[in-house]
Amino acid sequence: MSQRTATLIGLTAILMWSLLAVMTVATGTIPAFQLAAMTFAIGGAVGLLTWIGRPEALKALRQPARAWAVGVGGLFGYHALYFLALRFAPPAEAGLLNYLWPLLIVLFSAFLPNERLAIHHVVGAALGLAGTVLLFVGNGASFDASQLPGLAAAFVAAFVWAIYSVLSRRLKAVPTDAVAGFCLATSLLASLVHAAVEVTVWPDSTTQWLAIIGLGIGPVGAAFYAWDIGMKRGDIRVLGAASYATPLLSTAFLILAGFASPSANIALAALLIAGGGLVAAKDMFRLRRR
């Protein structure tokens, strides 16, 4: 698989994650960790289905403890922190800090073997960050001392996801099939937390069930497999900068679904984020002309 192909596969994860907000809204009032347990179980099943006809894929679960710590720690750790952030801080403020992770991926990639961080990667990531800040501030983001626990959780979550993504590159020998095991382990941990701190609420409509299944298949399923391929074999710096498109596309889908309204701030944020992505991806376009 070429680097460009792997990068394009990784970009599909960004598109799927942009559907996370609107699909989560459609699930109703299901508790966060219960929803995580259900959707990660489906996401793990998605991976297991790809093993049909490939019995050797089962060997992918035989990974060293370090690989399991990175995989499960990244998936469960990030989502647990993000859910805590949403519980103790308003979504706009939590999202603003959480979306430091694309910039962190770009910066952390400089510590990877055979990777070179060029100025256009940093400029592209910075433009994306500026667009994201504008997007959230335009939606009324503000900070208050009482929100500090939630904001701290969102800040740490950004580092967890960035470290998980970059370490995935260091664990290139771990096959993407192993992500199915990481998803199932994350589902189990989420189930334990749900049983300890939440009250079970089952979906009460077909729409809610379809939203849960859709989340498990896409944003909390196939997206993680696509991201793993992108991180291990694609251009990690381009993917990091391009990730800023997620909150923008998410807002666009919320507008289309009637949960948000268009504005000039969103349009300007779109220009900054798209421009940043193009700047960061300059190398890909240069290769294409050869």
Side-chain angles (χ1 to χ4, degrees), residues 33-34 36-38 76 186-196:
F33 282 98
Q34 179 188 345
M38 296 171 73
F76 178 76
T186 298
S187 175
L188 176 61
L189 289 175
S191 297
L192 294 175
V193 176
H194 164 66

Side-chain angles (χ1 to χ4, degrees), residues 61-82:
L61 298 181
R62 300 174 186 170
Q63 299 300 327
R66 181 178 64 166
W68 280 93
V70 171
V72 180
L75 294 180
F76 178 76
Y78 169 77
H79 287 86
L81 286 166
Y82 188 56

Side-chain angles (χ1 to χ4, degrees), residues 230-245:
M231 287 293 102
K232 289 177 177 174
R233 299 178 178 85
D235 191 322
I236 191 171
R237 299 151 305 182
V238 170
L239 288 169
S243 296
Y244 279 116

Side-chain angles (χ1 to χ4, degrees), residues 86-252:
L86 293 179
R87 174 171 293 184
F88 294 107
E93 287 86 333
L96 180 59
L97 281 176
N98 177 64
Y99 269 99
L100 286 172
W101 66 259
L103 178 61
L104 293 173
I105 287 177
V106 174
L107 296 179
F108 290 168
S109 69
F111 297 99
L112 292 170
N114 304 317
E115 295 290 343
R116 184 177 63 86
L117 188 62
I119 186 63
H120 64 275
H121 296 127
V122 178
V123 171
L127 286 173
L129 178 61
T132 302
V133 170
L134 180 63
L135 182 66
F136 283 102
V137 171
N139 284 336
S142 61
F143 296 96
D144 184 86
S146 64
Q147 301 166 0
L148 285 178
L151 296 176
F155 183 73
V156 176
F159 276 84
V160 169
W161 188 253
I163 292 171
Y164 161 74
S165 298
V166 174
L167 286 181
S168 293
R169 184 73 154 216
R170 298 296 297 267
L171 298 172
K172 188 180 279 190
V174 178
T176 298
D177 285 326
V179 176
F182 301 156
C183 286
L184 292 175
T186 298
S187 175
L188 176 61
L189 289 175
S191 297
L192 294 175
V193 176
H194 164 66
V197 302
E198 295 177 338
V199 176
T200 301
V201 177
W202 292 109
D204 57 12
S205 71
T206 301
T207 299
Q208 291 181 5
W209 277 111
L210 290 175
I212 291 169
I213 294 171
L215 279 171
I217 293 175
V220 192
F224 293 123
Y225 301 101
W227 189 248
D228 188 73
I229 292 172
M231 287 293 102
K232 289 177 177 174
R233 299 178 178 85
D235 191 322
I236 191 171
R237 299 151 305 182
V238 170
L239 288 169
S243 296
Y244 279 116
T246 305
L248 178 66
L249 291 172
S250 178
T251 301

